[in-house]
């Protein structure tokens, strides 16, 4: 059995989801390959897309927000054979068709709508017949998912998104509520005390996890300083993850803090950090928030990238699993409210139970293996 997982490098979320599924397939004796859709056809295009995404999302957020809103508001004439987005992808369609013919997979998964709309064209033109399964990596449908409806299935984080799916043109029988695939290690937990001891933290002190994504977005130093100086009736310690932001890590390392601070760069044991923590301050990337939900962590949301992350934030707020920093409500105020109000924390954890999908990767991959078996 062979599975192809088509991803697009635009940030790391889509690729991380692809790797989680590939690793599960491999562990279960299934051959699985990740295809960087644009990287295969044109490495220059792939690098351009990724650099543009990273630059706009960090340096030109207003422009990114405008572009996303325009994409949300676009209208496609129903009588058009192909949408404008699909027409733009046509140079890639034949290349991907030839790749899939040569690879001969038993099923194809895609983690980005740009890959999905290429497959949509191939499906409608009957150039491929194997099952195709799309994976949402955010708590919203990106505008271009409406160009992917000829694919067989779409995996959504929650059935609360089914109405969005219907508006995009998906049918109920295409939806599978498995969640965003995350590494299986997030489905296994140890006690907070045990996790804190392993990190050389006070095992009995409430713990706050501060994360800025893999790139360490936001002013981590200022946020850490405000939290360190916070006057509250409950003492707490802080785990700070700066990711690949070496400058922020160096700045924080140089601080003389009042509280116990464990300051880290890029780490591969975020699952243990989450086990040790009582709540998390983070930007609302789809993968990080799915991992936090799996670990039953109430969230304080900061620095959302306009577009998908803003929609993620709205979804999480509306479902009671998070609170968000804004101009009138600072991060330290929200931390105070949560640490001083156990009832509020308990209510958020109860809401998390409806959304957490700790076995998402297993459920997605088992479903696809079932499809692939039928297609042989």
């Amino acid at each position: 059995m062979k599975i192809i997982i088509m991803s697009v490098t635009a940030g790391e979320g889509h690729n991380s989801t692809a790797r989680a599924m590939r690793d599960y397939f491999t562990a279960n004796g299934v051959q699985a390959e990740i295809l960087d859709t644009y990287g295969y056809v044109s490495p220059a295009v792939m690098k351009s897309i990724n650099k543009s995404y990273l630059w706009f999302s960090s340096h030109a957020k207003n422009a990114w927000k405008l572009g996303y809103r325009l994409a949300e508001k676009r209208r496609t004439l129903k009588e058009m054979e192909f949408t404008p987005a699909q027409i733009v992808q046509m140079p890639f369609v034949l290349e991907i068709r030839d790749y899939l013919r040569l690879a001969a997979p038993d099923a194809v998964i895609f983690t980005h709508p740009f890959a999905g709309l290429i497959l949509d064209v191939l499906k409608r033109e009957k150039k491929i017949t194997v099952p195709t399964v799309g994976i949402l990596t955010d708590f919203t449908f990106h505008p271009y998912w409406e160009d992917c409806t000829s694919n067989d299935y779409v995996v959504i984080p929650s059935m609360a998104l089914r109405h969005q799916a219907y508006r995009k043109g998906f049918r109920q029988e295409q939806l599978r509520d498995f969640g965003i695939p995350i590494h299986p290690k997030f489905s296994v937990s140890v006690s907070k005390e045990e996790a804190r001891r392993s990190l050389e933290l006070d095992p009995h002190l409430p713990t706050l996890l501060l994360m800025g994504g893999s790139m360490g977005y936001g002013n981590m130093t200022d946020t850490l300083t405000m939290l360190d100086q916070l006057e509250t009736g409950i003492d707490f310690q802080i785990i700070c993850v700066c990711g690949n932001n070496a400058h922020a890590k160096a700045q924080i390392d140089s601080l003389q803090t009042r509280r116990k601070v464990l300051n880290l760069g890029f780490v591969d044991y975020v699952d243990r950090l989450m086990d040790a923590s009582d709540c998390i301050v983070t930007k609302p990337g789809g993968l990080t928030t799915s991992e936090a939900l799996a670990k039953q962590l109430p969230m304080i949301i900061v620095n959302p990238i306009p577009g998908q992350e803003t929609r993620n934030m709205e979804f999480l707020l509306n479902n009671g699993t998070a609170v968000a920093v804004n101009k009138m409500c600072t991060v330290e105020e929200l931390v105070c409210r949560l640490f001083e109000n156990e009832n509020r924390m308990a209510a958020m954890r109860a809401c998390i139970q409806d959304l957490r999908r700790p076995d998402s990767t297993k459920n997605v991959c088992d479903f696809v293996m079932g499809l692939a078996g039928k297609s042989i």
Side-chain angles (χ1 to χ4, degrees), residues 332-347:
E332 62 266 35
E333 182 178 347
L334 291 176
V335 169
C336 234
R337 288 183 189 179
L338 292 187
F339 275 139
E340 293 182 349
N341 190 340
E342 176 52 34
N343 289 336
R344 181 67 186 278
M345 291 273 262

Side-chain angles (χ1 to χ4, degrees), residues 54-257:
L54 294 175
W55 190 85
F56 275 99
S57 63
S58 58
H59 300 294
K61 290 186 177 182
N62 287 336
W64 183 264
K65 178 179 180 180
L66 176 61
Y68 192 90
R69 291 295 292 132
L70 289 174
E72 286 182 320
K73 293 179 178 180
R74 73 194 175 102
R75 293 292 180 267
T76 301
L77 297 176
K78 298 295 183 182
E79 59 269 20
M80 294 181 66
E81 183 179 5
F82 298 111
T83 68
Q86 288 173 330
I87 292 171
V88 170
Q89 303 294 324
M90 285 302 178
F92 302 96
V93 170
L94 294 180
E95 295 274 2
I96 297 302
R97 179 203 65 186
D98 292 343
Y99 170 85
L100 292 176
R101 283 179 176 175
L102 184 63
D106 298 298
V108 180
I109 304 172
F110 61 95
T111 65
H112 194 289
F114 287 179
L117 58 88
I118 292 174
L119 293 171
D120 188 280
V121 173
L122 293 174
K123 273 283 185 178
R124 286 196 282 141
E125 294 286 292
K126 294 183 170 49
K127 302 298 184 183
I128 58 172
T129 58
V130 296
T132 54
V133 180
I135 310 289
L136 257 69
T137 58
D138 288 291
F139 292 88
T140 186
F141 276 87
H142 186 282
Y144 290 103
W145 273 96
E146 64 192 47
D147 298 327
C148 302
T149 56
S150 295
N151 290 286
D152 296 297
Y153 298 96
V154 58
V155 174
I156 56 178
S158 165
M159 284 306 290
L161 291 175
R162 66 187 182 279
H163 301 295
Q164 278 192 41
Y166 300 154
R167 290 196 296 271
K168 291 294 181 187
F170 289 98
R171 305 178 307 280
Q172 182 174 352
E173 59 267 26
Q174 291 176 283
L175 306 181
R176 291 297 182 273
D177 171 24
F178 295 141
I180 298 173
I182 55 177
H183 195 286
K185 64 186 177 182
F186 287 91
S187 66
V188 180
S189 296
V190 300
S191 71
K192 295 191 183 303
E193 291 77 13
E194 181 181 345
R196 290 168 188 165
R197 285 192 182 96
S198 72
L199 297 168
E200 298 183 355
L201 294 170
D202 186 324
H204 306 297
L205 201 60
T207 304
L208 175 75
L209 177 57
L210 172 63
M211 295 186 66
S214 62
M215 300 304 295
Y217 281 110
N219 196 324
M220 303 278 289
T221 306
D222 284 355
T223 301
L224 188 283
T225 300
M226 287 188 292
L227 293 172
D228 181 54
Q229 296 175 351
L230 177 62
E231 297 292 342
T232 176
I234 298 178
D235 192 16
F236 62 92
Q237 57 197 347
I238 303 170
I239 303 172
C240 182
V241 182
C242 298
N244 293 314
N245 191 335
H247 178 68
K249 185 178 186 306
Q251 281 188 319
I252 293 171
D253 281 340
S254 68
L255 296 177
Q256 297 295 318
T257 58

Side-chain angles (χ1 to χ4, degrees), residues 237 309 329 372:
Q237 57 197 347
E309 289 196 355
C329 196

